Each structure stands twice: as C-alpha cells, then as structure tokens.
Amino acid sequence: MPKHIPENGIVNPHNLIDEATINKIKELNEKWINDPQPVRFIVLAVNELEFEHSIFAYSNAIMEKWNLDKETESTPYVILLIDAKHKASNVTISKSLQNVLPNKKLDKLRDDIDTYLEARAISKGLLQYVTELDHQLHLTDEEKVAEIKTQKQEEMNRRQKEKQEEQAKQEQRQQQYDDTIDSIVKFVILRNIFR
C-alpha cells in the first residue's frame, strides 16, 4: 500500500486497469476536484490483498494510513477497493457525500461492479462505475426529485403487488377451506343416507 494517495488516485500494481479506464478516472478526478463540492475518487485494484486481510479491514487501514478518517482535513472522497482473486470490492465514502450518494445507490453500483468482477472484466466495470458515479454526483435538483419520485412509485408498485399476491393466497386458502368443508358435509350426508 502506498504511503500517500497517488496523485492520479489510482493504485494499479498488477495492471488490472487498462489505459483507457485510467485516463477516464484521471479526467473525472480533474473535473470533480474543481466542483463546487470537490470530490476525490481513489481506486485500488490488486490481485489479492496483502496478508489475507478482509477487504473491510484493509479499507479501514487505508483510511487510517492516508488520514482520510480526519475528514475536516481532506477533500470528500470515494474509495473503491478491488480484490481480483476473491472477486470482491468495497466502497468507502466520506460522511459529507452520504446525502449526495445514498447507500442504496452505492450498493447498486457496487453490485454492478461485482458482476463485472465475476466476469474478470475489471476495466469495463470500473468504466461503468465511474460513469454512473459521475452521473450521481452531478444530478440537478430536478433530477434528484424525479429520481426520488420514481423510487417511491416503484416502492408503491412493489407493495401493491405484494398485497395483491397475499390477497390471492388468502382467497386460495379460503377456497381450499370451503372445498374441504363442502367435501366433509357431502361425506356426512352420504354416510347418513347409506346407513
């Protein structure tokens, strides 16, 4: 692990990230650092983590080593750590970005990159990741409102569907109960007739 954050924000000792993706990350970092709310994107892509640390412990060690836990002294950041051998990733973001990049959105981005890791397409996954991260960082207020409305509508639709499915199950159980009662009544009637 480097003693300091690399100037370009990329640690790529095993050449897992191709030149085009490195250039895109550099380009976006230069753009983001000049934003009204500056952001620094740091990516560490290694074949395997040293000393078989968990990816979370390694992320914490990076934060401590680079003094990123003292947020008041550093630019808000997004750190993406990739362990190629174990097809694992971890994202750490500074507290000041948590309103801009909600956990649900970050989880979706990480799930997407994990899909690329499974396919051993790290550069392609990273390119997708930073492009979507750029989009999320620069949503206008109108876009944020529209996205929230869309999410709420999707949640309402999901709940409505679950409610309909539960209602259908209840109706099916009731019908089975009615059929069973009906069968028992018919059986009792027939038994009494043929006594």
Side-chain angles (χ1 to χ4, degrees), residues 2-3 16 18 35 47 50 56 66 74-75 101 107 119 121 154 159 162 168 171 188:
K3 291 182 180 178
L16 299 173
D18 66 27
D35 277 357
N47 276 333
E50 298 169 7
F56 304 107
W66 291 347
S74 66
T75 301
L101 297 168
D107 289 346
E154 286 171 357
R159 286 183 182 167
E162 286 175 356
E171 287 172 4
V188 169

Side-chain angles (χ1 to χ4, degrees), residues 18 32 54-55 81 115 119 167 173:
D18 66 27
W32 296 342
S54 78
I55 199 161
L81 176 58
T115 302
Q167 189 173 357
R173 285 192 294 266

